[in-house]
Structure formats: structure tokens, C-alpha cells
Amino acid sequence: MADPAVMTAGPAVHVHHELGFWRTYIFSTDHKMIGRQFLFLGLFMLIVGGALAMLMRWQLAWPETAVPGFGWVPEPYMVEGIIPPNTYNSLFTMHATIMIFFAVMPIMIGCFGNFLIPLMIGARDMAFPVLNMVSFWSGLLGGLVMLAGFFVPGGHAAGGWTAYAPLTAKAIYTGVDWGQNLWNISLIILGVSSMMGSINYITTVVNMRAPGMTWFRLPLVIWSLFITAILLLLALPVLTSALAMLLFDRNLGTHFFLPEGGGEPLLWQHLFWFFGHPEVYVLVLPAMGVTSDVLSTFSRKPIFGYRAMAFSMIAIAFLSWIVWGHHMFISGMNPLLGTAFMLSTMVIAVPSAIKTFNWLGTLWGGSIRFATPMLFALAFVSNFVIGGLSGIFMASTPVDIFIHDTYYIVAHFHYVVAGIIFAMFAAIYYWFPKIFGRKLNETLGKLHFWPTFIFFNGVFFPMHILGVGGMMRRIYNPLQYEFLQPLQPINVFITANAFLLGLVQILFVVNFVWSLIAGKPSERNPWQANTLEWAAPSPPPHGNWGEALPVVHGGPYEYSVPGMAEDYLPQNQSRRPSPTLAKRHGPSGGQVTA
Amino acid sequence: MVQGIVTAPALEEVALQVPEMPPILPPGSDNGDPPGWQPPRREPVVSNAVLGMLMFLAFETMFFAGLLGAFLVFRLSSTSWPPPGEPYLPIGVTWFNTGILVASAYSMRRAHRAIRDGSQAGLVHGLGLTALLGTTFLAVQGSEWIRLAHHGLTLQSGTYGATFYTLIGCHGVHVLAAVLWLATVWVLAARGWFSREWHGGIQLCKMYWMFVVGLWLVLFPSVYLM
Ligand code: HEM
Ligand SMILES: [Cu+2]
């Protein structure tokens, strides 16, 4: 393998080279610009996905009444403002699809992966900048194909984001024809896009770390993105193969998932969840990484148990391949197999719990600064605890047989997956100064945080009660069941909170746009943080580091080192002379444990 | 003293103010390197291009694992394979075809060896032979497909036909892509593009070709012999 003739140095850098408008802003190969592009794509899709959710909430609170202001939507999408059942099915399908694949993934992985990896490991760019650009543009193409599905006859995909066959395997079953096809095609394109991203991330982290940046000096957010990239690289192709088979079933007359031709509907579920469970960790790992960095910085304390954090992410990465059956407990699987999946699922809660306790350990005794990023990161932890605990209930087969496909599940995954939005906001408030060179307004940020946190819990906490009360997931009109009618006030309460939650996001949009144009210019290191990206100018120039690459001398979380004048110690700052230290260090800069 | 790239005055001051006392960091934290220490310049163990290619092949492997998994589900749960009324797969010809692919792996290896030893002629010859063998494989498979279709085996023939055409077809498309890549590299090689010092492109092409051949060595026994 190590053929000297194929050794290539990093990409050539033209620090002083001026690029035109198109190469700078549109077809850019600069990892920072690509990161920004992913951010805008993701935020736009977040608004689209959010709007779909609001429509669903209207229907659930006041079923089959006209949505105010929507009278203009033509049939068959809406009937004089009333959401018909088919449209409702498309709404929840597309809400989840857009949020997962086109909002959370582009922002957490596309934007922050691209922006942070080279800067935090001290590289000038990604290993394959052109591939990186293609990754963004194919991702955008996937997004456009997905949006196009709204405008084809028959409406958009309506089989749920899990697209269970045979429902999705034949157009006549749902009446959806091209919507489901476009859904499949879009996700196949997105798979290729994220493959290119993953290849880039992995290669960059392995090969392009700055001198002195050893594996255990990597910030945890980089660890998380690295592991995410590996999971994504290995999980998505399985979905791609299933999507291709589903497309063949729909259009070429094969019978992979159709029982009438000898096919096996459960095969779809197995393939989907073999991808699906690693996928939920793909979503949450970067959020965990961001949270670790933010908590440590704003507690002015080293992260508690750095290595335990890294190793628990690695453990999650391994375990997430053997738990997928917990989504299929009621599919009639062999009880012995069900028990095995139950046990593995409970085991995966252990590394998750390790991370949670380490976050609390980080906070313990810190001089906490309640800046906006910190508030959002703390909220992420609090939501994750709730979502993680409900996960353990559901992991237990007998319990899950009762609550499967109820609002209890909806509550669980929103506490974890929608909870990621809090880590996303933490990341945006934290790195905005580095990304755009200006600060977001702190007062507006806090005004954004508190109602967001309160209304989020107002929306999702009562769903546990609905679920235990028997309200099914993906139901069009709960009032059709007598036993659900007494629960209707809860639905109204949730909807009210959801609308308020949506409304207060305007504060964020205003803050974002206003700060982008007229925010206070930021210094290099506005939060007094240690990691390398803060050593570059805000925003960093093309090539990031000027003439010389940074040299790394220590770990990422050395805050409040006793005896130091400042409470932070940037990774690229040399440590003071100390004969004892020099003696104890091997040439590789090994670790000293007290 | 090494300063990294930050030369902001604030940091200089921090460094100067530090008292002469060994720092006591919480257990488990990284004490950092002593000043003046320069990390050894390390060459990556595997180059970016090779590592990227390996990642790509990992992706491809998982893609085929999905398809193969689907095939195995049907194959292992059925009592008679092929199902009654469906034609048998052509085993003899496919053994021959497998031999062709294995030979192509060998010629690809020889091409790579040749350029490592600086032999342009050996490279061009080896690549040409590999592309030829690959094309033969595709041609034989294409003609077999036509025969099978005449015997009534189509995508619609239950899971037997569907898994066969999907799995073997996906592999065929990969072989086709690899042959096109080989042809490109072959033209470049004929123009003297590669040398003893510079032949990364050949190595990547070889990795991909070996993947396609190796994949066949898994698919052939699973689909044809099992
Ligand atoms: C603490 C560890 C966790 C455990 C024990 C756990 C357990 C479970 C179980 C048993 C289910 C299936 C319930 C059912 O459908 O009947 C489930 C569903 C789900 N979980 Fe988790 N979970 C955990 C963490 C997470 C995390 C971290 C995420 C995402 C970031 C997540 C996202 C989801 C999603 C999206 C679903 C629903 C999928 C669907 O049916 O559409 N979970 N979880
Ligand atoms: Cu799961």
C-alpha cells in the first residue's frame, strides 16, 4: 500500500491567489465556503420542514378544519384550506425526511464538519477539495429533487420516512406515484453526496493533522465527526441498495418486497433499520461533540474524562450495528432474537450514559459562563437525558409492544433528534464569529433561548402522556376514536406550544441576518477557547494559516491551569520550560498522568 | 520558542507571566510538550489518494452487502432453487468467465509491477491485456444474459430473476466502469504519462480492478454454485 510514488502532499495552497466571484462563492473548493453553503441549505430546509410540522399540528388540534390563510392551496393538496388524509400522510413523511436528511445532516455534518475539521486539526483544507465541492452540489441536487416531489401528480411520498414496503412498493397502494420515486432517487443522490463527504472527512482527519496534533489531542467534536463519517460511509450504502430495490419494485416489476411475487416485506425493514439505527447516531454524535466542546469552554474546566468520551463514541459506533431489531419488536420476530436486541439496546445506553455523566462532571465546580451557546448546550444535555431514559423503557420488549407506534415513540425521538437542534444552535452561536467574522447578539440570543427551551418541552413532554394513553403515531384524526377524545385538550396544548416555538424562531432569523450584515466584528478568540480554529483570523483566509502551519503543543481542554495568568491555554501555545516535564515526555509527546 | 502561528501580543504576555512551578493539571489531562520540542515530521502511512480509494471501496462493499443480503434471504429460505419452471444458470461458461477475470487480475498486477520497474512497454501491454480480458468477461456475460432471457428469465420472474439480474447486473456495471477507467489509463500510458516515480493513477486503477475481481469471487459461488 505504502507505495512512495503515490504519496502526495496536501493540496497545493495559493494563499495570495485571487479568485473570481464564481470560484469564491459558488463553485468554491474552500472548505469554509462549502461549510457556509451547507449551512444556508440546511437552514432553508429547516424552515420548510418546520412549516410542514405546523400544518400537522393544526390538523391534530382542530382536525379537519380549514387552516387559516391556506384557502388558496389547490386541490387535491388541500380542500378549501382543509388538509385531506393523503396530504397529511405526505406531511409527516416529508417533515421527517427533510429534517433528518436535509436539515440536521447538512448543518451538523455538512456545515460544521466542513468548517471545523481542517481548522481544528490545523490543515489548510480538506484532502480532496474538488470532491468536497461536488459533494455539496450533489447534495443540493438531491434537495431539489426532493422538493420537486411536492409538485408532481399524486403528491409527495406518503409512506413515512421509514418507507415501509409493501405500502411504498406499489403506486396503487398509496396513490402516490412519482412522489415516492423522486423520494428514492433523491436519497440515492444524497447517499453519493455524503459518501464523498465521508471520504474527505476520514482522509483529512487521518492524514492532515498539524504537527503535534496527536489523536488524543483532537477536540471531541472532531472525534465525533470522524466517527460519524465512518458510520455514514458504511451505513448509507445499505440504504442505497434497499432504495434501488424498492425503485425496481415500483418501476421494473421486480418483487423484492412484494409478497405476491415471493418477496419479503420484512426484508425492507431489516435493511432500512440496519441503516436506520446507525443513522440516528450519525445525527446525534456531532451534537454530542459540539456539546462537549461548548461545555468545557464555558465551564472553564477541562472536559471530564476525555478518553472515556472518545472511547464511548467508538463503543457507540460498534454497538449501533447490532441494535436495529429494536425497531421491529412487533414484526413477529423470534422472541429469543427480540431478547438479544433488547439486551444490545440496553448496552448501548451505557456509553450514552457515560457521556452524560462526563458532561455533568465537566460542569461540576466549573466557573460557568452562561453565554448563549452554553445555554443551548445545557439544554441539549437535559433533553438528551429525557430522550435517553425513554429509550431504555422502549428497549424493553414487553413495554415496547404496548407503546410501539404511539406518541410515546414520537416523544422519545423528538427529545433526541429534535433535541439536536439545541446543539445546532449552540454550535451556530459559538462558531458564528469564526464563520462570518461577526458576533451574534447575546441579548437576542438569550431571548431566543428561553422560550425555545420552554416551548420545546411544552410540545414534546405531553406526548409521553398521549402515547401511554394510546394515541397512535401518524394518525390523521385522533377524534375518530372515542377513547382518545378526552386527550384532545393535550393536543391543543401541544399545538399552541408548537406555534409559539415556531414564532420565537423569528428572533433567531432576525439575529442571524442582522448580525451577518451589521454584527459586532469579532476578534480571533472571542470565547477565550483553546482549540486551533480560534488561532486563525475571523473569518480565516483562504488557506487558513498564512505562511506556516500551526504547531500543536497540548490538549484541547486545558482551562484554568493552576499557576497560569489566564484561564485558558491555546493548543498551539508552547508550554513553559520544565525539566521534569521534558524528562517525562517521549518523542511522541505522550501523556503524563499525575 | 515555538509560538505556532499566533503572535498576538496577549499570548506572548501569557507565556512570560507563567511562574516557575510545575503545572498541576487535573488527572488525565494532557500536560503538553515542553517548549522547544518539535514534533517529528511524519509521513502519512497511506497517501490521501489510496486512503480515499479504500474508503470508497468500503462504501461499495456495504452496497453489495445489502444486495447480497437480500439475495441470501431468498436463497436460504427457498427449498428449490431455481424455483420450478425457471432455467438453471450457465455454470460451465461462467467458470470460464471467472477464469478470465482471475487472469485479468494477474495481468493488472503485472502492469503495476512493470511501471514500478520503469517499463513503459510492460505497462501499456499489461493494461491493454487487462482491458481486453475485462471486455471479454462482459461480452460473455452479455451473451449469456440474452440466452437466459430467451429461456424466460427476466427481472419479473419472482425473486430468482430479480436477485440474479440486480446483483450480477450491478457487478457488471462496475466491471464496465472499471473497463472504461482502464481504457482511459491505457491511452494515457500509451502517451507516456506514467513513470517509475509517478504512477499513483495506476495504483488506484489497480485497487478498483482488484475489488471488482474480488467481488466476483464472492458473487460467483453465492449466486451460481450455491
Ligand atoms: C439511550 C439510548 C437509546 C435507546 C435505548 C433507544 C431505544 C429506542 C427504541 C427501542 C426505539 C423503537 C421504539 C419503537 O418504534 O417501538 C427507538 C426509536 C427511535 N429512536 Fe431511539 N434510543 C436511544 C437513543 C436514540 C438516539 C440518540 C436517537 C437519535 C439521535 C434516537 C432516535 C430514535 C428514532 C428517530 C426513533 C424512531 C424511529 C421511527 O420509528 O421512525 N434514539 N429508540
Ligand atoms: Cu434505533
Side-chain angles (χ1 to χ4, degrees), chain A residues 79-310:
Chain A
V79 184
E80 288 166 13
I82 297 176
I83 303 172
N86 281 347
T87 302
Y88 186 81
N89 292 348
S90 293
L91 285 179
F92 67 67
T93 302
M94 294 320 299
H95 162 70
T97 306
I98 287 182
M99 286 304 200
I100 291 171
F101 293 103
F102 292 101
V104 171
M105 284 173 70
I107 296 179
M108 297 307 286
I109 307 172
C111 165
F112 289 107
N114 262 309
F115 195 86
L116 295 179
I117 290 177
L119 277 169
M120 289 180 107
I121 68 173
R124 294 193 186 278
D125 206 318
M126 285 286 178
F128 310 109
V130 176
L131 200 68
N132 208 11
M133 176 185 78
V134 180
S135 163
F136 171 75
W137 285 100
S138 52
L140 183 71
L141 177 68
L144 291 177
V145 172
M146 194 53 96
L147 289 180
F150 282 108
F151 305 101
V152 292
H156 215 319
W161 84 282
T162 50
Y164 274 16
L167 184 63
T168 47
K170 255 195 166 170
I172 49 163
Y173 291 165
T174 48
V176 176
D177 190 2
W178 268 94
Q180 187 68 44
N181 286 342
L182 290 176
W183 188 90
N184 281 34
I185 294 168
S186 161
L187 290 187
I188 291 176
I189 299 175
L190 191 73
V192 176
S193 158
S194 71
M195 171 200 78
M196 294 187 265
S198 305
I199 291 179
N200 241 327
Y201 293 6
I202 297 170
T203 312
T204 308
V205 173
V206 171
N207 271 357
M208 298 178 64
R209 283 166 288 129
M213 181 60 91
T214 57
W215 281 98
F216 287 112
R217 284 178 182 172
L218 285 177
L220 286 169
V221 66
I222 300 300
W223 264 108
S224 73
L225 286 162
F226 178 67
I227 294 169
T228 297
I230 296 176
L231 281 181
L232 204 51
L233 184 79
L234 300 179
L236 247 178
V238 179
L239 178 70
T240 308
S241 72
L243 289 170
M245 287 186 263
L246 189 60
L247 260 187
F248 290 174
D249 273 8
R250 293 180 61 83
N251 302 298
L252 300 181
T254 58
H255 295 94
F256 286 105
F257 307 120
L258 286 164
E260 75 232 32
E264 181 54 270
L266 279 183
L267 174 65
W268 169 268
Q269 295 190 22
H270 280 290
L271 289 173
F272 184 86
W273 288 117
F274 186 77
F275 146 81
H277 192 86
E279 167 70 14
V280 303
Y281 278 99
V282 161
L283 298 172
V284 86
L285 281 176
M288 292 172 151
V290 166
T291 303
S292 305
D293 271 47
V294 170
L295 288 189
S296 174
T297 305
F298 291 89
S299 306
R300 315 311 290 165
K301 258 189 73 190
I303 192 90
F304 187 89
Y306 172 91
R307 289 199 178 209
M309 289 299 232

Side-chain angles (χ1 to χ4, degrees), chain A residues 48 424 589 594:
Chain A
V48 175
M424 182 199 89

Side-chain angles (χ1 to χ4, degrees), chain B residues 98-183:
Chain B
T98 306
I100 295 220
L101 263 197
V102 172
S104 79
Y106 182 68
S107 68
M108 186 74 219
R109 203 174 96 112
R110 284 212 2 214
H112 188 218
R113 282 258 171 109
I115 192 66
R116 263 203 307 218
D117 299 339
S119 156
Q120 297 272 354
L123 174 70
V124 176
H125 180 255
L127 289 176
L129 189 60
T130 313
L132 197 68
L133 289 168
T135 315
T136 315
F137 174 85
L138 285 174
V140 172
Q141 207 169 57
S143 70
E144 286 306 309
W145 275 34
I146 293 171
R147 265 170 22 104
L148 281 172
H150 276 302
H151 283 93
L153 188 69
T154 63
L155 267 177
Q156 290 88 359
S157 328
T159 52
Y160 180 67
T163 48
F164 171 76
Y165 283 115
T166 309
L167 196 49
I168 302 302
C170 270
H171 177 261
V173 170
H174 279 72
V175 178
L176 181 64
V179 167
L180 292 178
W181 187 356
L182 268 176

Side-chain angles (χ1 to χ4, degrees), chain A residues 1-3 5-7 127-128 195 199 202-203 206-212 217 233-234 237-238 241 245 248 252-256 261-262 264 267 274 302 535 545 548-555 558 561-566 572-577 581-582 585 587 589 591-592, chain B residues 1-6 11 14-15 17-26 28-35 37 39-42 44-52 55-56 58-59 62-63 66-67 70 73-74 112 116 155-156 158-159 162-163 166 196-200 203 207:
Chain A
M1 260 331 100
D3 187 337
V6 251
M7 295 282 188
F128 310 109
M195 171 200 78
I199 291 179
I202 297 170
T203 312
V206 171
N207 271 357
M208 298 178 64
R209 283 166 288 129
R217 284 178 182 172
L233 184 79
L234 300 179
V238 179
S241 72
M245 287 186 263
F248 290 174
L252 300 181
T254 58
H255 295 94
F256 286 105
E264 181 54 270
L267 174 65
F274 186 77
W545 308 108
L549 280 180
V551 174
V552 176
H553 297 281
E558 293 172 21
V561 178
M564 296 282 293
E566 298 279 348
N572 62 326
Q573 193 190 322
S574 67
R575 274 51 179 165
R576 22 160 250 98
L581 266 185
H585 270 282
Q591 226 193 0
V592 181
Chain B
M1 127 182 231
V2 188
Q3 258 303 153
I5 66 134
V6 175
L11 289 185
V14 177
Q17 284 165 9
V18 178
E20 274 303 317
M21 186 183 76
I24 308 149
L25 293 178
S29 52
D30 184 338
N31 275 293
D33 301 313
W37 176 83
R41 228 19 243 144
R42 57 193 161 80
V45 184
V46 237
S47 71
N48 284 354
V50 172
L51 188 59
M55 296 298 137
F56 174 65
F59 178 92
M62 289 307 283
F63 174 77
L67 293 182
V73 164
F74 297 120
H112 188 218
R116 263 203 307 218
L155 267 177
Q156 290 88 359
T159 52
T163 48
T166 309
R196 184 204 297 266
E197 293 74 31
W198 198 84
H199 57 265
Q203 178 169 5
M207 289 171 74

Side-chain angles (χ1 to χ4, degrees), chain A residues 161 273 280 284 326-327 391 394 400 404 409 412-413 416 473:
Chain A
W161 84 282
W273 288 117
V280 303
V284 86
H326 64 219
H327 297 274
M394 293 149 31
D400 190 60
H404 175 70
I409 308 299
H412 159 71
F413 67 69
V416 274
R473 175 183 179 187

Side-chain angles (χ1 to χ4, degrees), chain A residues 230-454:
Chain A
I230 296 176
L231 281 181
L232 204 51
L233 184 79
L234 300 179
L236 247 178
V238 179
L239 178 70
T240 308
S241 72
L243 289 170
M245 287 186 263
L246 189 60
L247 260 187
F248 290 174
D249 273 8
R250 293 180 61 83
N251 302 298
L252 300 181
T254 58
H255 295 94
F256 286 105
F257 307 120
L258 286 164
E260 75 232 32
E264 181 54 270
L266 279 183
L267 174 65
W268 169 268
Q269 295 190 22
H270 280 290
L271 289 173
F272 184 86
W273 288 117
F274 186 77
F275 146 81
H277 192 86
E279 167 70 14
V280 303
Y281 278 99
V282 161
L283 298 172
V284 86
L285 281 176
M288 292 172 151
V290 166
T291 303
S292 305
D293 271 47
V294 170
L295 288 189
S296 174
T297 305
F298 291 89
S299 306
R300 315 311 290 165
K301 258 189 73 190
I303 192 90
F304 187 89
Y306 172 91
R307 289 199 178 209
M309 289 299 232
F311 284 124
S312 56
M313 283 193 277
I314 295 173
I316 285 175
F318 277 104
L319 289 169
S320 65
W321 299 103
I322 53 165
V323 297
W324 81 92
H326 64 219
H327 297 274
M328 303 170 58
F329 284 144
I330 53 117
S331 71
M333 64 169 64
N334 182 331
L336 208 58
L337 189 61
T339 311
F341 277 127
M342 168 171 125
L343 288 177
S344 63
T345 304
M346 292 191 166
V347 170
I348 205 173
V350 173
S352 312
I354 291 177
K355 298 194 72 73
T356 309
F357 282 114
N358 282 353
W359 287 326
L360 300 184
T362 306
L363 295 170
W364 187 265
S367 351
I368 298 179
R369 297 181 182 168
F370 288 101
T372 312
M374 182 63 163
L375 292 174
F376 276 103
L378 289 171
F380 170 80
V381 176
S382 116
N383 293 335
F384 185 75
V385 168
I386 297 177
L389 286 179
S390 58
I392 307 201
F393 281 85
M394 293 149 31
S396 159
T397 330
V399 179
D400 190 60
I401 288 172
F402 179 67
I403 53 180
H404 175 70
D405 261 342
T406 67
Y407 262 75
Y408 195 90
I409 308 299
V410 180
H412 159 71
F413 67 69
H414 280 93
Y415 265 102
V416 274
V417 185
I420 293 169
I421 303 282
F422 284 85
M424 182 199 89
F425 279 132
I428 293 179
Y429 279 98
Y430 184 57
W431 278 295
F432 191 92
K434 191 53 66 185
I435 301 179
F436 297 110
R438 294 176 188 277
K439 280 184 178 170
L440 283 168
N441 183 298
E442 267 293 301
T443 317
L444 267 178
K446 292 196 172 106
L447 281 178
H448 170 219
F449 169 75
W450 285 106
T452 301
F453 182 62
I454 292 168

